[in-house]
Amino acid sequence: MDGSDIRADVLVVGCGIAGAAAALEAADAGLRTVVITKEARPEESNTLYAQGGIVSFAPDDKPDLLKEDILEAGDRIGDPAAVDILVEEGPRLVRETLIGRLEIPFTRSSPEALDYALEAGHSRRRILHVEDATGRTIEDRFLNALLKHPRVTLLAGRTAVDLLTVPHHSKDPVAYYKEPRAIGAYVLDNATGEVGRVFAPFTVLATGGCGAVFLHTCNPPGADGSGYAMALRAGARIGNMEYVQFHPTVFRRRSGDGFLISEAVRGEGARLKTRDGKAFMGKYSPRRELAPRDEVARAIYEEMIQANTDYVLLDLASYAGPAAVRKRFPTIYRTCLEDGLDITREPIPVVPAAHYCCGGVLADGWGRSSLAGLYAVGEVACTGVHGANRLASTSLLEGLVWGTRAARDIAGRFGDARPFATSRIHRWYHPKKEEAVDPALVNQDWLTIRSTMWNYAGVIRTRKRLERAKSDLEYLRHRIEKFYQAVRIGPAIVGLRHGILVALMITRAALANPVSRGAHFIKRA
């Protein structure tokens, strides 16, 4: 089952802010850049759904204050050197790339001044936003720039199956004596079912996170952790996978789909209350609603358990006027209204949901992984910025900074890239199968993964729960591998194979770490 081969200078897998920033910077440096995304709509990514905003510097801000807030939110296990990079380069790239080049129309408090929002964990109002649709605006502007660029080829509806590496995929036995290196990826054309090879001396993973392996998430369905799985199979180092951040406030819609209620809502005064109207965050933190996300998520979870209920209430209506709510949060207001809830008059039913993975493919200050030729940027990467828990609105900034830096590093190293003969690399081999994937089996396997992860490896964990999860998931992985080998390849079975491996990575990491920190909380039996 062989598709056509493509050669590029840089392959970028993923098209959120991190992948888009890397692709645009690489193309500007004169490199032929291929961007692939498994979604039919290339804008579909976690970036698209980012409401709150992006960290910058307000007039009364200082780099040391931002650094302290980031390290404190990460429970003091973040890498100070990585945080320094974010703090030093981030605000400048916001000005130069987002405001200067892409002309992002950030909301203003007056014709002369940008509006800075406050979010949990921040000691200053420093969040730039486009009302409550910041990510959508950034994603749209980046995509427009990429589509117009003569050195960018954007391929939607293409699923990365595995990374191409030497010596693993080499036909040459002598290659086994050389340093392992990533040289591209095996890529599935979702429409034709053909798998081809995309060759590039440098590959940038920008595949986003893994919220879809949990029953409750505010991530899109495509957040199956594909980048983590491919990197692990290729031999790259992975770290901190136990630190999965749960967003405290996700709208519990009648449709069942999670819709994130931005951190900024609590920043503007909303209070969390029990179903009978009692505020409760004062019992859990002196910062109340503005405590870090992990503390707020656990507080909500505990209140739900104590009251035997499946949600709590987020009350904005009692603390902000209707006009102010509609102006500041138009997307949230409109989405809730479509579900029959007027947030200017009623509180919002919310639950915690998987939101952001603080771990991932270990990457240095330039996005370089431990595997030569492979870079990781954005949520798929573990740069050390987030430690055990991400500070609100730092993820878009990290994606912008590390995407840009990775491309600049590649451009500086490109002259030293070793040529390789594509004829010496194995084509994709998967015995042609007539049996199509049964969606009922895929759906049931996903339900098992997601329920197991939510109940045993979710907001609050115990060793017994994690051991049960590990046992169940290892058995399921064996079944899924047999399933994968027996059916015609397609995006559904590829995603399922990625997802089960990522679920196991999180569970094994959580079992190996007995210390509760940040987003990883072990409850003693």
Side-chain angles (χ1 to χ4, degrees), residues 265 314-330 332-334 336-337 340-348:
V265 173
L314 181 63
D315 183 4
L316 179 62
S318 300
Y319 304 95
V325 171
R326 288 191 289 267
K327 180 180 179 182
R328 176 66 178 86
F329 303 111
I332 296 173
Y333 170 73
R334 186 168 55 251
C336 291
L337 200 61
L341 179 75
D342 184 349
I343 66 172
T344 67
R345 304 176 64 180
E346 307 167 80
I348 309 166

Side-chain angles (χ1 to χ4, degrees), residues 50-89:
Q51 298 172 2
I54 186 167
V55 169
S56 188
F57 281 157
D60 65 341
D61 211 350
K62 294 180 181 179
D64 286 347
L65 291 176
L66 175 55
K67 180 179 181 179
E68 174 63 19
D69 288 349
I70 293 171
L71 292 173
E72 176 65 22
D75 215 354
R76 298 290 169 184
I77 67 163
D79 181 359
V83 178
D84 282 338
I85 291 171
L86 188 80
V87 170
E88 290 167 9
E89 297 198 16

Side-chain angles (χ1 to χ4, degrees), residues 461-468 510-512 514 522-523:
R461 300 159 173 169
T462 69
R463 185 162 189 85
K464 286 185 177 179
R465 292 176 191 174
L466 291 169
E467 287 172 345
R468 174 73 68 87
L511 262 174
I522 295 284
K523 187 175 182 179

